Amino acid sequence: MDSGQLIGIIIAVIVVIAIVVVGVMLSRKRKVEADRNRAVEMREQAKTDEIGAREREAKAARAEADAKQAQVQAERLREEAQSRQTEAETVRAGAQEQLRKADELDPDVVTTEGSDARSRDDVPRDDVARDEAPREGLTGEEPRRDRDARNHVEGEPGTHKPDENHPGGERPRNL
């Protein structure tokens, strides 16, 4: 081999080595750039996920606050309902007391001392007045009867005989 060929081979080897080195450097540069781009994308995705997580946490906190508000409102409504129920019972008791006093004052309504034949809550007021038992022996007078019984003669339409199945001669109003 002569020296010209040897120099040509050395130059060819150096050129090949230079090409390989340049290729490796470009390849690394591309890989580094690709890694850099992927890292940027991952950071952006992480930021987006973080924002999504904060939004979900905020929605969860809002939902919890709404639930607590609903519980407070429900408790307030329960208390209001209980208060109104108590008020209604008080008004009802007052109305019953007023009806009792009116019955005591009304000369057409006959009541017996200490007991009613039926509870005043279960019977309309007109039915109580008609079904009351007569008062006897007050002043030696004839016993007073309610308005309907005073005007009817036994056996005529509109009169009724005491029923042995019901104590005190009372008949249920629905028969």
Side-chain angles (χ1 to χ4, degrees):
M1 259 227 238
D2 78 14
S3 69
Q5 280 182 334
L6 186 61
I7 293 179
I9 292 178
I10 292 178
I11 292 179
V13 169
I14 292 177
V15 169
V16 169
I17 290 175
I19 292 175
V20 169
V21 168
V22 169
V24 168
M25 287 176 58
L26 288 176
S27 169
R28 278 193 178 168
K29 189 175 181 181
R30 284 187 200 145
K31 185 176 186 258
V32 167
E33 189 63 33
D35 288 347
R36 196 172 286 133
N37 289 338
R38 196 165 17 153
V40 167
E41 288 176 5
M42 289 174 75
R43 285 186 186 101
E44 288 175 2
Q45 184 64 38
K47 284 180 183 180
T48 304
D49 291 347
E50 181 69 24
I51 291 170
R54 286 182 190 164
E55 287 176 355
R56 286 185 181 95
E57 287 173 352
K59 286 180 182 178
R62 248 182 275 135
E64 180 140 355
D66 289 346
K68 286 181 182 179
Q69 179 66 28
Q71 286 176 341
V72 167
Q73 187 172 1
E75 184 62 31
R76 187 178 316 126
L77 288 174
R78 270 189 223 102
E79 289 174 3
E80 184 179 334
Q82 188 175 15
S83 171
R84 288 186 180 185
Q85 179 68 29
T86 303
E87 182 180 327
E89 289 171 0
T90 302
V91 169
R92 178 175 283 126
Q96 291 297 322
E97 180 64 20
Q98 190 172 7
L99 286 172
R100 186 189 62 75
K101 287 179 181 180
D103 286 349
E104 288 176 1
L105 292 174
D106 190 351
D108 292 332
V109 176
V110 181
T111 60
T112 58
E113 289 292 324
S115 68
D116 273 342
R118 291 187 250 173
S119 169
R120 296 193 187 285
D121 289 337
D122 297 332
V123 179
R125 298 302 308 154
D126 291 338
D127 290 345
V128 171
R130 284 188 207 117
D131 292 340
E132 295 287 338
R135 229 185 267 179
E136 296 182 18
L138 289 177
T139 59
E141 300 176 25
E142 177 183 334
R144 290 188 291 158
R145 308 238 184 248
D146 67 6
R147 283 176 253 167
D148 292 339
R150 236 185 299 149
N151 297 329
H152 295 290
V153 178
E154 194 163 320
E156 285 189 49
T159 62
H160 67 276
K161 295 179 183 177
D163 189 359
E164 291 119 24
N165 294 335
H166 296 285
E170 297 172 0
R171 292 188 327 180
R173 290 320 237 162
N174 60 353
L175 293 179

